[in-house]
Amino acid sequence: MTKTNGSKKSNSDLLGHYTEMRRVRTFEDRVGELYLRGASAGSMLHLSIGEESAAVGVCSAMRDGDTFTTHHRGHGIFLARGADPNRMMSEIGGKATGYCRGKGGSMHIADMSLGHLGANAIVGGGIPAVVGAALVAKRRKTGAVSIAFFGDGAMQQGVLYESMNMAALWDLPAVFVCINNQWGMGTRIDQATKSTKLHERAQVFGLNAETVDGHDVLDVVEAANRIVDGARAGTPGFLAIDCYRFYGHGRKDKSPYRSEEEEAEGRAKDPVKFSRKMLEKNGVSEEELDALDAKIGAEMDATIDFTIKSEEPALNTMFRDVFAPGQPEPEPVITRIDRVLAKE
Amino acid sequence: MATEILMPALSPTMEIGTLAKWLVKEGDTVSSGDILAEIETDKATMEFEAADEGIIGRIVIPEGTEGVKVNAVIAVLVEDGEAIPEITTQAPAEQAPQGAAEAATPPPGAPQVPGPARAQPDTTPDWPEGTPMKAQTVREALRDAMAEEMRADETVYLMGEEVAEYQGAYKISQGMLDEFGPKRVIDTPITEHGFTGIAVGSAYAGLKPIVEFMTFNFAVQALDQIINSAAKTLYMSGGQMGAPMVFRGANGAAARVGAQHSQCYAAWYMQVPGLKVAMPYCASDARGLLKTAIRDPNPVIFLENEILYGRSFEVPDIDDYTVPFGKARIWREGADVTIVSFGIGMQYALEAADKLAKDGISAEVLDLRTLRPMDTDAILRSVKKTNRCVTVEEGWPQGSVGGYISSVIMQEAFDYLDAPVINCTGKDVPMPYAANLEKLALVTTDEVVAAVKQVTYR
């Protein structure tokens, strides 16, 4: 476990991280609200509440040109990387104004302009793509790193080990970030694996690897910078960030499989609250922070209005992007048969 | 030497036709390729060409004669100056094409290309008349089937993600951990390729695993073990060891979960020799087919549907109720068109049949229940009655189940068709996420209605 005693950066850094984490938290709250309002949100929404320090901490170590993939619980990561919350929310709402024009949804948001190579809804599915992107970065000498974000559930997928092995073998600027929220759906990490010191698995492949407690975002920032810088210099890295999934697997899951005591303990390690307390301790006034929170609240409220007011994708876009442009669109079978019969 | 000109067959199954028109007369000189006559069946008209050169010595069957048997002598070709032999005119066949119904045999000399093994025809009722019925959801039916088989056979066990403590991601295994304990209801990590292979190995070694995939979208990670190991090992080992097991879980689109969670894999698995494939629609079939699947000595792909899990159906109140594989179910008898479907496609098929009935179109609705073995006899029987067929499925159009059905009908009931077979399928796109596009991408009842109207020329 990495501790960063005494080496905290300035208050303004912390305020910046707090702001980003609060934005993630508030955005996810509004996603839940969009769902409750029945405003066309998907039926499977995985919220990252409790994991904000992982998203914000790692993204703070990223530079322009870096690329990344996320898992099914990736809203917060993309937001922390600079996503437009309106376009994110409207994608979740299945609207034409969304990042993927309403075709991807909550689990498949992608945006090439910010280096987001896609959220992947198959556990572990997005991991090898970053090794591919890192291969390109190395070959073209762009100086970019590529980062895979995934949950502890993916730690048991074979493709992670295939990917880490090749990243190390070829000295690629790739980083594997496991956001360990302790729960893979209804299975706690210690029920899914005997070896819960996750970074040790990466070490055996030759990666720089650490585990960091996500309670304090500054710890995550430091660890992420070490790992990401190492990757940029040619040694791939692995970072496990311990945190807690505050709510169920999906919006509808009430987590009957875990105790209230456990949940209380897990939620007590709230990275957003912790940072706020630290700021207060360092002299930032409660009023100032309340005002900041209110401003973020208004920003995220607006995403719901934006989503509700946005148009659904036009029906004639359905066949678009199945293939690259220039391919003929499929003809409905009945039209085709009409045409054939008319010829006779 | 005189050559007999025989009544041609326009198709492998044609037995009789009408000699509509002679385009030559006795005494004409013809050469190879000249058109001699027009031949008609109730489906088509074809021009009939001379194969040899010579002089039309005699026209045996006059034009306008109906019911001329295939291979009957219709004319005689002679060489210049040759005597014309006497030919007895054959009486036209008296009956309509009854005999053609059994004519599945290919013409002599045609290459024998065997398709997949067929189901033996079985038209017995699924349960005796007067059996008491009760309401049950598909979810409960699946659970009961597994629990009953696990009580009866201690080698049967259930394995998968969240099947034990969580009681199943979709609560199919509710109560099973309590009854059978963690030795037989086993939670796995999220590691599909691994646990599927482990299950296959345990089947080689004598157990009968039921592998639950949270959804069949995740089974793609395990496809190697399913196809290369489970499906092929009995064959590769020369019959020494196989994989008696069931792979089951939710298949196809749920609602608003995007492209990676919304694919129907029916046609994919149906293609594989060594796998059996069941895809029930209603609760009684879910129970009866799953019990049969667990007892089957082969690997069985058992495709369920998230949307159907909570739906209630009338089921027969019978202990140990099973449904054999390869036996389609006729949900509705009809005369004008055959609608063939399976799984959730049945919902659209049945709704369409209701709507069509209001327009005076009588649709026969067939639920295949298993795709391999497939009850093609039931399809052919029905199509020979209705002369029209529409298939309905959620999967993609190219390489679809309906495409296969169409080929079987074309090969074995071509002469019975009064219209092309139409395959109603999901649209040729990954499932879009937006609600309006998702609705458009799925097959709909209205499309089935439109297809039926198309093939019935209404």
Side-chain angles (χ1 to χ4, degrees):
Chain A
M1 192 74 57
T2 312
K3 273 314 278 183
T4 53
N5 299 329
S7 63
K8 307 273 178 186
K9 292 197 180 169
S10 73
N11 228 17
S12 72
D13 282 341
L14 182 56
L15 189 61
H17 298 318
Y18 171 77
T19 305
E20 286 309 308
M21 289 199 294
R22 173 61 72 191
R23 287 179 79 240
V24 170
R25 171 75 51 97
T26 311
F27 180 84
E28 294 286 48
D29 277 340
R30 297 300 184 273
V31 172
E33 199 177 304
L34 186 75
Y35 172 77
L36 290 178
R37 284 169 65 170
S40 179
S43 60
M44 207 176 275
L45 294 166
H46 308 94
L47 305 182
S48 63
I49 294 177
E51 307 175 7
E52 294 84 353
S53 64
V56 171
V58 176
C59 287
S60 76
M62 293 176 76
R63 293 185 197 159
D64 284 353
D66 289 351
T67 55
F68 65 106
T69 62
T70 78
H71 53 337
H72 58 290
R73 203 180 297 284
H75 303 159
I77 297 160
F78 189 31
L79 201 62
R81 189 70 194 109
D84 172 355
N86 279 333
R87 291 183 67 196
M88 275 193 71
M89 189 64 85
S90 62
E91 183 61 39
I92 293 166
K95 297 300 182 72
T97 50
Y99 267 107
C100 306
R101 303 185 178 101
K103 284 181 174 169
S106 164
M107 291 193 284
H108 304 299
I109 292 178
D111 178 51
M112 286 305 287
S113 68
L114 287 171
H116 192 347
L117 304 181
N120 196 303
I122 305 298
V123 174
I127 294 172
V130 307
V131 183
L135 183 69
V136 173
K138 183 177 179 182
R139 188 173 287 185
R140 294 189 176 158
K141 299 189 170 63
T142 63
V145 298
S146 192
I147 301 182
F149 292 91
F150 48 90
D152 44 288
M155 286 303 297
Q156 274 53 255
Q157 287 285 32
V159 70
L160 170 63
Y161 302 96
E162 299 177 28
S163 300
M164 289 199 297
N165 183 51
M166 282 184 275
L169 183 66
W170 297 335
D171 304 315
L172 298 179
V175 174
F176 304 86
V177 174
C178 175
I179 302 177
N180 180 4
N181 69 17
Q182 316 299 321
W183 285 89
M185 199 166 169
T187 302
R188 208 173 53 213
I189 180 75
D190 59 1
Q191 294 159 345
T193 184
K194 205 85 163 172
S195 101
T196 53
K197 291 177 180 162
L198 303 180
H199 66 276
E200 289 180 353
R201 304 188 198 175
Q203 281 167 342
V204 300
F205 286 99
L207 278 70
N208 290 329
E210 298 183 27
T211 294
V212 64
D213 189 332
H215 194 195
D216 184 348
V217 67
L218 293 177
D219 291 341
V220 181
V221 168
E222 287 216 2
N225 272 289
R226 267 195 304 277
I227 293 293
V228 171
D229 288 351
R232 226 180 278 286
T235 305
F238 173 96
L239 182 62
I241 302 161
D242 284 341
C243 52
Y244 191 72
R245 193 187 76 202
F246 279 20
Y247 300 106
H249 167 70
R251 189 63 186 74
K252 290 181 274 192
D253 175 19
K254 303 280 181 235
S255 325
Y257 40 81
R258 60 189 195 183
S259 69
E260 284 180 21
E261 292 76 31
E262 187 206 294
E263 291 196 336
E265 201 182 309
R267 288 177 191 154
K269 294 179 85 176
D270 183 330
V272 183
K273 275 190 188 160
F274 180 80
S275 292
R276 188 177 152 125
K277 264 192 204 132
M278 292 296 290
L279 286 166
E280 286 172 9
K281 214 172 170 184
N282 295 355
V284 183
S285 75
E286 219 171 302
E287 292 72 30
E288 201 181 324
L289 290 169
D290 285 347
L292 176 62
D293 290 357
K295 192 176 142 215
I296 291 168
E299 180 198 6
M300 297 307 169
D301 281 344
T303 67
I304 293 190
D305 295 335
F306 178 82
T307 298
I308 289 171
K309 282 181 189 147
S310 291
E311 298 284 330
E312 290 190 309
L315 294 179
N316 66 9
T317 63
M318 185 174 75
F319 288 116
R320 194 173 300 164
D321 300 323
V322 177
F323 293 103
Q327 309 289 322
E329 287 189 359
E331 184 182 17
V333 68
I334 290 176
T335 325
R336 196 164 67 227
I337 287 169
D338 263 341
R339 193 162 48 72
V340 171
L341 291 176
K343 250 186 202 166
E344 284 186 357
Chain B
M1 194 191 134
T3 308
E4 292 176 344
I5 298 174
L6 307 179
M7 178 71 169
L10 306 192
S11 71
T13 53
M14 172 178 164
E15 296 215 326
I16 56 166
T18 299
L19 208 168
K21 193 174 180 190
W22 278 110
L23 299 172
V24 292
K25 56 184 189 299
E26 289 179 0
D28 283 359
T29 302
V30 297
S31 48
S32 170
D34 287 352
I35 296 164
L36 301 179
E38 282 180 6
I39 309 290
E40 263 180 32
T41 65
D42 57 339
K43 304 289 187 296
T45 302
M46 203 176 80
E47 290 174 336
F48 173 47
E49 297 171 357
D52 302 299
E53 57 179 24
I55 297 161
I56 302 291
R58 187 190 302 280
I59 285 176
V60 181
I61 306 284
E63 65 181 24
T65 308
E66 293 177 8
V68 182
K69 282 186 176 164
V70 167
N71 291 335
V73 177
I74 55 173
V76 179
L77 198 65
V78 293
E79 288 171 24
D80 200 6
E82 189 186 353
I84 299 161
E86 278 305 312
I87 300 286
T88 325
T89 307
Q90 275 185 280
E94 283 165 13
Q95 292 210 326
Q98 292 287 342
E102 279 78 47
T105 34
Q112 300 286 323
V113 185
R118 297 294 176 74
Q120 289 300 310
D122 176 359
T123 53
T124 56
D126 281 348
W127 55 80
E129 221 174 305
T131 302
M133 304 293 281
K134 61 176 183 179
Q136 192 176 42
T137 62
V138 171
R139 176 178 282 114
E140 292 161 344
L142 292 168
R143 194 257 331 266
D144 286 359
M146 287 193 287
E148 286 167 23
E149 293 307 298
M150 283 174 68
R151 281 173 210 133
D153 180 351
E154 62 169 17
T155 65
V156 180
Y157 75 100
L158 174 66
M159 179 155 92
E161 292 158 5
E162 309 292 354
V163 297
E165 297 283 349
Y166 199 90
Q167 319 273 317
Y170 297 106
K171 307 296 172 201
I172 305 303
S173 50
Q174 198 125 36
M176 288 180 63
L177 176 64
D178 283 349
E179 180 174 351
F180 299 104
K183 240 181 173 171
R184 298 181 67 195
V185 181
I186 305 173
D187 274 333
T188 67
I190 304 170
T191 179
E192 290 86 2
H193 195 183
F195 72 70
T196 303
I198 290 165
V200 172
S202 76
Y204 295 162
L207 296 184
K208 297 182 92 178
I210 305 168
V211 175
E212 177 176 307
F213 291 116
M214 197 176 293
T215 84
F216 265 91
N217 301 284
F218 308 156
V220 179
Q221 302 232 358
L223 207 53
D224 174 59
Q225 291 298 327
I226 298 172
I227 310 292
N228 276 322
S229 295
K232 297 177 184 172
T233 292
L234 183 65
Y235 190 80
M236 292 190 299
S237 68
Q240 294 177 71
M241 58 175 192
M245 62 195 300
V246 177
F247 303 97
R248 50 157 290 272
N251 170 67
R256 311 298 319 288
V257 289
Q260 287 182 338
H261 278 43
S262 305
Q263 185 174 339
C264 174
Y265 292 90
W268 283 36
Y269 288 113
M270 178 187 83
Q271 214 255 337
V272 182
L275 290 181
K276 295 189 175 182
V277 182
M279 188 155 162
Y281 166 60
C282 69
S284 61
D285 289 343
R287 177 169 172 230
L289 290 171
L290 185 51
K291 285 167 70 74
T292 302
I294 294 167
R295 292 177 197 183
D296 197 286
N298 299 286
V300 178
I301 302 287
F302 198 88
L303 302 167
E304 302 160 9
N305 186 285
E306 186 188 334
I307 292 165
L308 293 176
Y309 280 148
R311 196 161 301 174
S312 204
F313 291 87
E314 287 292 297
V315 303
D317 198 358
I318 299 173
D319 287 342
D320 200 23
Y321 174 71
T322 59
V323 173
F325 281 7
K327 182 184 173 195
R329 172 170 175 182
I330 299 171
W331 276 76
R332 190 179 171 123
E333 294 197 3
D336 298 330
V337 63
T338 302
I339 304 178
V340 183
S341 191
F342 51 93
I344 194 159
M346 283 299 298
Q347 178 180 313
Y348 310 112
L350 290 169
E351 280 173 12
D354 279 344
K355 282 192 177 181
L356 289 161
K358 286 178 192 138
D359 292 338
I361 298 172
S362 153
E364 181 144 300
V365 183
L366 242 72
D367 180 355
L368 289 177
R369 304 199 283 197
T370 58
L371 303 177
R372 194 190 261 259
M374 187 186 285
D375 191 355
T376 48
D377 270 297
I379 300 170
L380 293 167
R381 268 197 308 276
S382 180
V383 169
K384 285 173 181 177
K385 183 173 77 172
T386 64
N387 308 111
R388 293 162 165 96
C389 182
V390 167
T391 66
V392 186
E393 70 195 285
E394 198 181 81
W396 290 315
Q398 187 161 347
S400 62
V401 177
Y404 174 69
I405 293 169
S406 304
S407 77
V408 170
I409 295 173
M410 186 186 71
Q411 287 161 14
E412 301 186 36
F414 183 77
D415 278 349
Y416 290 86
L417 283 178
D418 283 345
V421 177
I422 295 185
N423 305 138
C424 294
T425 66
K427 308 308 178 296
D428 200 18
V429 291
M431 187 61 73
Y433 172 83
N436 63 332
L437 295 186
E438 182 180 73
K439 203 170 146 202
L440 194 64
L442 289 163
V443 63
T444 64
T445 301
D446 287 346
E447 285 167 355
V448 180
V449 168
V452 167
K453 291 195 171 170
Q454 178 69 254
V455 301
T456 52
Y457 304 112
R458 303 285 183 106

